């Protein structure tokens, strides 16, 4: 990696943009409105080369309270933060909020930059430094160095650059090998080029002509051009501020908060399992089911907070929770987020993602809390197993990605050897999840057998629908094979039944069955119809339905013969085809001793069964 991202933070008018200009020579205020008002409204960008050989990309974020959401969008992907405090004013409300945000976003490397030092005398400046260090002592920036500068005269700028260079040399990223993911913080159009998006490439790499997708919609796009620090390149890597020229999508279809990623590598979700904390200086406790604003990557969305194991948490406290978002978001495990209240608007907490595609329910609070703890703090094998159990037939790579487990293959092998999982192609089936589906299947079949004691079992298609697997036919067939191997269920044709079940005829229904069998056997190839056998009598209808699953065959849906007679009729067709070279209706009729009508019905049934095929007025075997 040859590029890092440095972000500014701090109160309005404390000199963030001037500081960036002093460091880079670039003016990050690019909009006319920003020039006119003298404050940063949107995100500003600049860059410079460092002696260590890396390029530093600077993200100048707004300091005004109204523009905090822009600050949050820019803070995603920052390696080093510069917390800017004017010597003339000291720590202000927005400074405190930005420090909280940096803490929640997990930005550990930071420098406190005291600006405008020429505007105050030495005594006042030292007092501000002392007050600043005292405040920082209770925050995540307790050990951050404090550098004093004046952006206009250049005093302290060389020392600040030297410190940034030392910190930049130590930045390490291990996310280059992961699938590409870029949270979009700006979208615009350039005449002759089309849609351009910018953001910090969090993970992976992106090259020219890569086929990617815009999430949460999953819109397919192609990379037409890449720029890093205003220079055209062929590849961008994790950690770099990146501009992408995309084809296949309009400016109107992309917005801040979208994510550019490798197709299939992320999943849009409205449920996140998280570990969160409430700011120590929050004005009130965070209550269960409270609505807040969630800032995740560059996205901003309203969310409902479901606290786990408690009804409220007080300032300075932490807990596990579920976030139920009003619109889909994109996340990976360990991503950081910030929470702000709706009214009055203030930052009240933040935390990290434990499961980026969690389930909305299915557990008691106690069970859910235990599972979250494993996902968050468990050993790699434990974490992988929990994610596999909750994602039955999930793709191995997708499960490993969701669990954020490196070298996951060796843990899959261990789980496979221990019998904890089974594999279907490249998909993972956890044994406990399979057992739960088997139990659900038995709970479906048991009352079905009670309600329909004469039926051989439930139609396979109906069970597939009841298990909500209609859209997953291959997985369902594999599941059926596994359940039959356990000898818990059986199959007869297209009917499935609980092991040990057989149709039960009462004395009354048994008499009806015997009567029907005798009548159909006696009718032979001059068969009876459904109406003749059962009419509107419900008992007779039930018996006929049961016999159609065992002894009877409905030739055209209405005409009933014994299945054994249909087999004999097919044998007759085989003999005629061999001796006569073809099957003629008259010969077939005479051989069976039936009428032309019924002989034709049987031949048409054989055509539908792909046993014979018609050629003019004759038929031959297929």
């Amino acid at each position: 990696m040859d590029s890092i991202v440095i972000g500014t933070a701090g109160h309005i008018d404390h000199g963030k943009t001037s500081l960036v200009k002093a460091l880079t020579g670039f003016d990050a205020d690019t909009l006319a409105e920003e020039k006119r008002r003298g404050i940063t409204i949107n995100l500003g960008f600049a860059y410079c080369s460092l002696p260590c050989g890396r390029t530093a990309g600077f993200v100048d974020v707004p300091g005004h309270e109204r523009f905090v959401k822009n600050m949050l969008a820019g803070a995603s992907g920052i390696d080093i933060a510069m917390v800017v405090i004017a010597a003339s004013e000291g720590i202000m409300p927005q400074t405190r909020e930005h420090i909280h945000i940096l803490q929640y976003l997990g930005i550990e490397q930071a420098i406190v930059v005291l600006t405008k030092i020429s505007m105050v005398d030495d005594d006042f400046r030292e007092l501000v430094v002392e007050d600043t260090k005292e405040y920082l002592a209770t925050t995540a920036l307790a050990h951050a160095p404090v550098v004093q500068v004046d952006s206009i005269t250049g005093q302290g700028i060389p020392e600040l650059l030297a410190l940034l260079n030392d910190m930049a040399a130590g930045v390490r990223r291990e996310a280059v090998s992961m699938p590409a993911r870029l949270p979009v913080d700006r979208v615009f159009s350039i005449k002759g080029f089309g849609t351009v998006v910018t953001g910090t490439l969090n993970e992976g790499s992106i090259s020219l002509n890569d086929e990617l997708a815009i999430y949460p919609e999953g819109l397919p796009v192609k990379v037409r051009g890449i720029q890093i620090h205003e220079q055209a390149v062929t590849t961008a890597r994790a950690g770099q501020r990146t501009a992408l020229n995309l084809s296949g999508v309009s400016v109107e279809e992309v917005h801040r908060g979208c994510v550019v990623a490798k197709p299939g590598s992320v999943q849009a979700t409205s449920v996140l399992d998280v570990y969160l904390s409430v700011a120590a200086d929050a004005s009130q406790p965070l209550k269960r089911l409270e609505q807040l604003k969630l800032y995740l990557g560059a996205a901003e969305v309203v969310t409902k907070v479901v606290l786990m194991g408690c009804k409220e948490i007080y300032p300075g406290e932490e807990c596990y929770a579920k976030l139920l978002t009003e619109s889909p978001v994109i996340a990976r495990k360990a991503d950081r987020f910030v929470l702000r209240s709706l009214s009055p608007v203030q930052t009240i907490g933040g935390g990290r993602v434990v499961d980026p595609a969690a389930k909305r329910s299915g557990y008691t609070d106690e069970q859910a809390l235990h599972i979250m703890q494993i996902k968050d703090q468990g050993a790699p094998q434990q974490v992988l197993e929990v994610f596999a159990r909750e994602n039955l037939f999930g793709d191995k790579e997708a499960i490993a990605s969701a669990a954020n487990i490196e070298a996951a293959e060796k843990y899959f092998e261990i789980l496979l050897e221990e019998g904890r999982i089974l594999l279907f192609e490249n998909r993972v089936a956890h044994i406990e999840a399979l057992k739960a589906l088997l139990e659900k299947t038995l709970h479906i079949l048991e009352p079905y057998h009670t309600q329909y004691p004469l039926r051989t079992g439930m139609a396979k298609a109906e069970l597939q629908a009841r298990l909500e697997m209609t859209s997953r036919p291959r997985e369902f067939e594999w599941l059926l094979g596994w359940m039959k191997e356990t000898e818990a269920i059986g199959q007869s044709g297209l009917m499935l039944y609980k092991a040990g079940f057989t149709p039960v005829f009462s004395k009354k229904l048994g008499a009806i069955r015997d009567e029907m069998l005798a009548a159909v056997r006696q009718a032979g190839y001059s068969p009876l119809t459904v109406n003749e056998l059962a009419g509107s009598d419900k008992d007779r209808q039930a018996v006929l339905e049961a016999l159609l699953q065992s002894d009877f065959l409905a030739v055209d849906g209405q005409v009933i013969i014994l299945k054994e007679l249909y087999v004999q009729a097919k044998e007759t067709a085989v003999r005629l085809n061999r001796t006569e070279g073809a099957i003629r209706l008259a010969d077939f009729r005479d051989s069976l001793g039936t009428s032309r009508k019924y002989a034709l019905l049987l031949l048409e049934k054989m055509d539908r069964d792909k046993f014979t095929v018609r050629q003019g007025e004759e038929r031959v075997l297929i």
Side-chain angles (χ1 to χ4, degrees):
M1 188 199 71
D2 59 2
S3 179
I4 63 158
V5 179
I6 301 172
T8 64
H11 198 71
I12 182 175
D13 201 30
H14 274 210
K16 296 186 295 297
T17 302
S18 297
L19 177 62
V20 171
K21 185 175 181 180
L23 290 167
T24 67
F26 286 87
D27 187 347
D29 273 349
T30 56
L31 299 180
E33 175 71 1
E34 293 174 337
K35 293 286 189 183
R36 183 179 67 80
R37 298 178 63 179
I39 61 172
T40 304
I41 297 174
N42 216 310
L43 301 173
F45 304 100
Y47 61 90
C48 71
S49 297
L50 296 174
C52 67
R54 287 181 165 171
T55 299
F58 288 82
V59 182
D60 183 24
V61 298
H64 194 286
E65 195 283 329
R66 287 173 55 197
F67 309 126
V68 168
K69 66 179 182 180
N70 287 334
M71 183 269 168
L72 284 158
S76 174
I78 286 176
D79 297 302
I80 301 171
M82 293 192 303
V83 180
V84 179
I85 302 172
S88 56
E89 293 188 78
I91 290 180
M92 299 294 283
Q94 208 63 41
T95 318
R96 296 187 180 93
E97 184 166 26
H98 283 202
I99 289 172
H100 285 318
I101 288 170
L102 294 175
Q103 179 177 330
Y104 296 136
L105 294 179
I107 299 172
E108 298 177 350
Q109 296 208 77
I111 302 172
V112 177
V113 184
L114 198 68
T115 59
K116 304 185 180 183
I117 59 174
S118 63
M119 296 178 62
V120 298
D121 58 36
D122 292 346
D123 290 340
F124 190 84
R125 186 175 71 236
E126 289 304 318
L127 180 61
V128 172
V129 171
E130 185 178 331
D131 288 345
T132 298
K133 289 182 176 180
E134 183 179 346
Y135 175 76
L136 294 177
T138 60
T139 73
L141 304 186
H143 302 293
V146 178
V147 180
Q148 302 180 36
V149 305
D150 188 282
S151 301
I152 305 302
T153 66
Q155 183 181 350
I157 295 299
E159 291 78 8
L160 177 57
L161 275 170
L163 184 54
L164 286 171
N165 180 67
D166 292 342
M167 296 178 83
V171 171
R172 294 288 180 269
R173 284 186 182 271
E174 299 177 356
V176 177
S177 62
M178 299 180 69
R181 181 171 62 132
L182 183 144
V184 175
D185 54 39
R186 285 198 305 174
V187 184
F188 51 92
S189 179
I190 297 179
K191 187 175 181 180
F193 291 89
T195 302
V196 176
V197 301
T198 71
T200 299
L201 186 54
N202 285 352
E203 297 157 344
S205 62
I206 295 176
S207 298
L208 284 176
N209 299 315
D210 275 357
E211 303 281 349
L212 301 174
I214 300 286
Y215 290 93
E217 290 81 5
L219 303 174
V221 294
K222 187 173 183 177
V223 179
R224 294 176 56 187
I226 305 173
Q227 280 197 357
I228 307 294
H229 308 311
E230 300 183 351
Q231 299 296 315
V233 298
T234 57
T235 299
R237 293 178 175 82
Q240 295 180 320
R241 283 295 310 174
T242 305
L244 300 176
N245 178 206
L246 302 175
S247 64
V249 67
S250 67
V251 171
E252 292 74 24
E253 293 176 296
V254 193
H255 55 83
R256 174 182 288 175
C258 286
V259 173
V260 181
K262 177 183 176 183
S265 65
V266 295
Q267 178 181 344
T269 180
S270 296
V271 185
L272 297 168
D273 283 349
V274 301
Y275 187 74
L276 62 81
S277 61
V278 175
D281 57 0
S283 60
Q284 60 187 14
L286 175 59
K287 300 182 184 297
R288 185 182 176 96
L289 300 181
E290 189 169 343
Q291 277 198 322
L292 301 170
K293 276 283 184 73
L294 167 68
Y295 296 86
L296 176 68
E300 173 191 2
V301 61
V302 174
T303 187
K304 187 179 293 184
V305 182
V306 181
L307 303 175
M308 306 306 299
C310 59
K311 293 183 178 180
E312 60 183 16
I313 56 173
Y314 290 85
E317 294 183 341
E318 302 175 332
C319 76
Y320 289 100
K322 282 185 180 293
L323 301 183
L324 311 180
T325 62
E326 286 191 354
S327 55
V329 294
I330 301 296
R332 283 209 177 121
K333 187 182 176 187
D335 279 359
R336 298 285 185 150
F337 63 87
V338 173
L339 295 170
R340 305 190 84 212
S341 55
L342 300 181
S343 180
V345 180
Q346 60 178 342
T347 300
I348 65 166
R352 63 180 180 271
V353 174
V354 173
D355 185 347
K359 302 296 183 290
R360 190 172 280 265
S361 61
Y363 301 110
T364 64
D365 277 5
E366 186 176 343
Q367 289 172 325
L369 182 58
H370 176 65
I371 289 171
M372 284 188 196
Q373 289 170 337
I374 294 175
K375 290 176 181 175
D376 188 32
Q377 302 174 5
Q381 183 175 322
Q382 291 178 304
V383 175
L384 196 65
E385 183 172 1
V386 169
F387 275 87
R389 182 172 181 174
E390 291 190 345
N391 294 274
L392 182 61
F393 297 122
D395 180 82
K396 286 174 68 177
E397 290 184 7
I399 291 174
S401 176
N404 200 20
I405 299 296
E406 295 183 8
E409 189 61 38
K410 68 178 181 181
Y411 299 114
F412 279 126
E413 289 295 332
I414 293 172
L415 291 171
L416 189 62
E417 290 174 4
E418 292 179 350
R420 302 297 297 160
I421 63 170
L422 298 174
L423 294 180
F424 165 61
E425 296 176 350
N426 200 46
R427 300 184 176 277
V428 182
H430 192 278
I431 193 67
E432 297 302 327
L434 290 174
K435 287 179 179 178
L437 266 182
L438 175 57
E439 184 177 354
K440 181 178 180 180
T441 298
L442 296 178
H443 286 165
I444 291 172
L445 292 177
E446 284 175 357
Y448 187 88
H449 291 328
T450 300
Q451 185 177 1
Y452 303 104
L454 301 186
R455 294 182 181 177
T456 304
M458 176 181 285
K460 186 167 75 171
E462 181 177 350
L463 179 61
Q464 185 176 3
R466 298 273 290 270
L467 291 178
E468 300 179 345
M469 296 187 72
T470 303
S471 62
R472 309 180 77 180
R474 293 168 63 194
E475 289 89 341
F476 178 69
E477 290 296 336
W478 185 92
L479 175 65
L480 280 186
W482 176 80
M483 289 195 292
K484 287 188 286 186
E485 285 180 6
T486 68
E487 299 183 348
I489 69 167
Q491 182 171 356
S492 175
L494 295 178
M495 311 303 289
L496 301 167
Y497 55 88
K498 183 181 177 183
F501 171 78
T502 55
V504 178
F505 289 84
S506 64
K507 184 176 181 180
K508 175 184 178 182
L509 297 181
I512 296 173
R513 175 197 58 196
D514 295 342
E515 175 205 327
M516 281 190 182
L517 282 168
V520 172
R521 184 170 287 110
Q522 183 177 355
Y525 286 115
S526 299
L528 301 171
T529 65
V530 169
N531 189 55
E532 290 172 328
L533 284 168
S536 59
D537 187 286
K538 291 186 178 180
D539 286 342
R540 296 185 69 85
Q541 289 174 350
V543 172
L544 178 57
E545 183 180 356
L547 288 172
L548 282 169
Q549 297 178 43
S550 56
D551 299 88
F552 288 175
L553 175 71
V555 178
D556 64 346
Q558 291 297 316
V559 173
I560 307 297
I561 67 169
L562 289 173
K563 286 182 178 178
E564 61 188 66
L565 288 183
Y566 181 60
V567 172
Q568 292 174 14
K570 290 167 76 174
E571 291 173 350
T572 299
V574 170
R575 178 177 56 79
L576 290 173
N577 189 82
R578 184 176 64 250
T579 59
E580 305 298 328
I583 307 161
R584 299 177 183 85
L585 177 58
D587 295 339
F588 185 69
R589 175 201 62 197
D590 295 342
S591 297
L592 296 183
T594 186
S595 67
R596 186 179 187 280
K597 171 185 174 182
Y598 293 128
L600 181 60
L601 284 177
L602 289 169
L603 287 175
E604 289 174 344
K605 167 68 173 169
M606 292 180 197
D607 292 343
R608 292 194 297 273
D609 291 346
K610 306 298 182 184
F611 183 73
T612 57
V613 62
R614 184 171 178 174
Q615 294 181 348
E617 295 300 317
E618 302 174 340
R619 285 174 171 80
V620 295
L621 299 179
I622 293 179

